[in-house]
C-alpha cells in the first residue's frame, strides 16, 4: 500500500495584502501498487487552521479532499470552509509518486473576501498575476529514512507579490510588484510509539528575489514554523479510520504559539 499525503495551501498574512488559508496534511490517498486505478476521499475537522506558522482561520474549519490514482500519478482536489464563513478555498493537486521522492504541483485558490486588494474573486482560472487570488506551488518531498524526510516548496506564480511601495505611501495598494518566489524548506522527524505517532518539524523560508527580505510568510527570512504533534486512531475498522491529531506550532518570527486539534475521516473508498 502506497500512502501519499495530499493537501492544500493558503496563508493568512496581513503585512503584504495577502491574507489566506491553509495546508491540510491529514488526508491520505491510498494507491495499491497492484491496481492501475484507485480512489479515495476524506473529511476533516480542525479547531483552527495553522499553516507554516501562520493562522489562515481562527475559526474551526471543515475540509474535504478527493483524488484518483493511476500508476505513479495522483490527481486530487480540496475544498475547505470555516464555520464562520470567513474562509473558503478550492484547490487542484497533481502528484507524481516514487518510494523515495514525491513531486507535486498545487493550484490554490481562495475565494474569501478581504484576502487581497482585489475586492471580488476573478475566478479559479484567472492566471493574470495582477488580479489572481491563486498560487502555484511546486513541491518536492524526499524520504531520507523511516524517521526523517525533507520538503521543498517554491511559490512560482500568483499572489506571492507585494504591493508597490508608492501605493503603500498613498494608502492605495492597488498594484502588485515583482514575484518573490518564496522558498520553504522543512525537515520532519517521525517516531511511532505503539499505536501513537509522534512528529516534530522545523521549517525555514526565504525569498529567491531577496534572500533576507520579505517572503509570503513573513517580513523577513527565518524559521517560521516549528512544531510538535502526536496522533493516533480513535476508531479503526474495516471500513473507516478516524485519526485524531494534537499539534503545537511555534512561529519564532512572530513569537506566536498555537495549539490545534484535528479529527479526520479517511479511507472512505473502502466502502463497498
Amino acid at each position: 500500500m502506497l500512502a501519499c499525503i495530499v493537501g492544500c495551501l493558503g496563508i493568512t498574512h496581513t503585512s503584504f495584502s495577502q491574507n489566506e488559508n491553509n495546508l491540510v496534511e491529514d488526508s491520505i490517498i491510498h494507491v495499491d501498487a497492484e491496481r492501475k486505478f484507485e480512489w479515495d476521499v476524506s473529511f476533516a475537522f480542525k479547531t483552527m487552521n495553522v499553516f507554516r506558522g501562520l493562522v489562515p482561520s481562527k475559526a474551526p474549519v471543515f475540509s474535504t479532499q478527493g483524488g484518483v490514482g493511476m500508476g505513479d500519478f495522483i490527481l486530487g482536489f480540496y475544498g475547505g470552509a470555516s464555520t464562520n464563513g470567513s474562509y473558503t478555498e478550492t484547490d487542484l493537486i497533481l502528484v507524481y509518486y516514487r518510494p523515495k521522492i514525491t513531486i507535486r504541483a498545487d493550484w490554490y485558490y481562495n475565494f474569501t473576501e478581504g484576502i487581497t486588494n482585489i475586492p471580488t474573486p476573478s475566478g479559479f482560472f484567472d492566471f493574470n498575476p495582477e488580479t489572481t487570488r491563486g498560487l502555484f506551488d511546486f513541491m518536492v518531498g524526499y524520504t531520507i529514512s523511516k524517521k526523517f524526510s525533507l520538503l521543498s516548496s517554491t511559490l512560482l506564480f500568483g499572489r506571492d507579490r507585494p504591493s508597490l511601495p508608492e501605493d503603500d505611501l498613498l494608502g492605495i495598494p492597488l498594484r502588485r510588484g515583482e514575484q518573490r518566489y518564496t522558498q520553504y524548506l522543512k525537515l520532519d522527524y517521525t517516531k511511532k510509539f505503539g499505536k501513537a505517532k509522534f512528529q516534530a518539524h522545523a521549517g525555514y523560508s526565504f525569498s529567491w528575489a531577496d534572500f533576507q527580505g520579505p517572503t509570503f510568510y513573513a517580513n523577513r527570512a527565518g524559521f517560521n514554523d516549528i512544531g510538535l504533534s502526536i496522533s493516533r486512531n480513535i476508531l479503526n475498522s474495516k471500513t473507516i479510520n478516524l485519526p485524531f491529531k494534537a499539534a503545537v506550532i511555534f512561529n519564532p518570527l512572530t513569537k506566536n504559539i498555537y495549539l490545534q486539534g484535528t479529527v479526520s475521516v479517511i479511507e472512505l473508498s473502502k466502502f463497498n
Side-chain angles (χ1 to χ4, degrees):
M1 183 70 70
L2 153 69
C4 184
I5 298 177
V6 177
C8 90
L9 167 79
I11 295 157
T12 300
H13 190 57
T14 57
S15 300
F16 307 102
S17 300
Q18 315 225 356
N19 308 29
E20 281 262 66
N21 37 32
N22 172 51
L23 173 63
V24 176
E25 298 174 337
D26 302 299
S27 179
I28 302 174
I29 293 178
H30 292 284
V31 180
D32 192 329
E34 296 180 357
R35 300 175 62 179
K36 295 182 179 180
F37 178 85
E38 186 65 66
W39 68 273
D40 200 7
V41 294
S42 69
F43 172 81
F45 171 79
K46 292 192 174 187
T47 56
M48 64 187 304
N49 268 346
V50 183
F51 170 66
R52 297 176 183 176
L54 303 176
V55 182
S57 174
K58 295 180 180 179
V61 170
F62 294 98
S63 66
T64 303
Q65 287 191 134
V68 294
M70 293 175 288
D72 297 327
F73 290 91
I74 296 171
L75 177 64
F77 302 89
Y78 164 88
S82 63
T83 55
N84 65 356
S86 64
Y87 155 73
T88 306
E89 182 183 5
T90 302
D91 301 329
L92 179 63
I93 304 155
L94 180 63
V95 179
Y96 174 72
Y97 176 92
R98 299 300 298 161
K100 281 284 188 179
I101 192 168
T102 300
I103 300 173
R104 190 170 108 196
D106 289 21
W107 176 248
Y108 314 121
Y109 196 86
N110 191 296
F111 294 88
T112 309
E113 293 186 8
I115 61 169
T116 74
N117 57 293
I118 309 299
T120 303
S122 50
F124 186 87
F125 298 103
D126 176 15
F127 300 117
N128 181 348
E130 292 295 325
T131 59
T132 185
R133 294 186 178 206
L135 279 169
F136 179 73
D137 189 8
F138 178 75
M139 287 171 278
V140 178
Y142 179 71
T143 301
I144 302 172
S145 66
K146 291 183 178 181
K147 294 183 179 180
F148 290 96
S149 63
L150 284 171
L151 172 69
S152 169
S153 164
T154 311
L155 300 181
L156 296 178
F157 178 81
R159 295 189 306 103
D160 185 22
R161 302 158 71 98
S163 56
L164 295 177
E166 55 267 36
D167 288 356
D168 288 337
L169 290 175
L170 296 175
I172 50 170
L174 300 178
R175 296 172 294 172
R176 293 176 177 173
E178 297 298 318
Q179 198 79 34
R180 283 184 289 227
Y181 300 104
T182 295
Q183 177 70 49
Y184 172 79
L185 299 169
K186 183 176 71 167
L187 176 65
D188 269 300
Y189 170 81
T190 302
K191 175 70 175 179
K192 291 185 178 180
F193 297 95
K195 296 182 179 180
K197 181 171 67 175
F198 170 81
Q199 290 180 295
H201 71 266
Y204 184 94
S205 60
F206 64 91
S207 166
W208 287 104
D210 181 356
F211 291 137
Q212 299 301 320
T215 72
F216 188 69
Y217 311 110
N219 59 7
R220 66 185 187 278
F223 284 96
N224 58 294
D225 181 22
I226 296 176
L228 301 173
S229 69
I230 187 165
S231 59
R232 63 165 294 166
N233 278 339
I234 56 179
L235 175 63
N236 189 359
S237 70
K238 294 182 179 180
T239 57
I240 195 170
N241 280 339
L242 193 66
F244 172 76
K245 179 179 179 180
V248 176
I249 301 99
F250 174 56
N251 185 336
L253 294 181
T254 61
K255 299 180 180 179
N256 287 322
I257 189 167
Y258 309 101
L259 178 63
Q260 178 192 54
T262 303
V263 177
S264 303
V265 183
I266 65 174
E267 297 187 10
L268 298 183
S269 63
K270 288 187 176 182
F271 288 136
N272 293 315

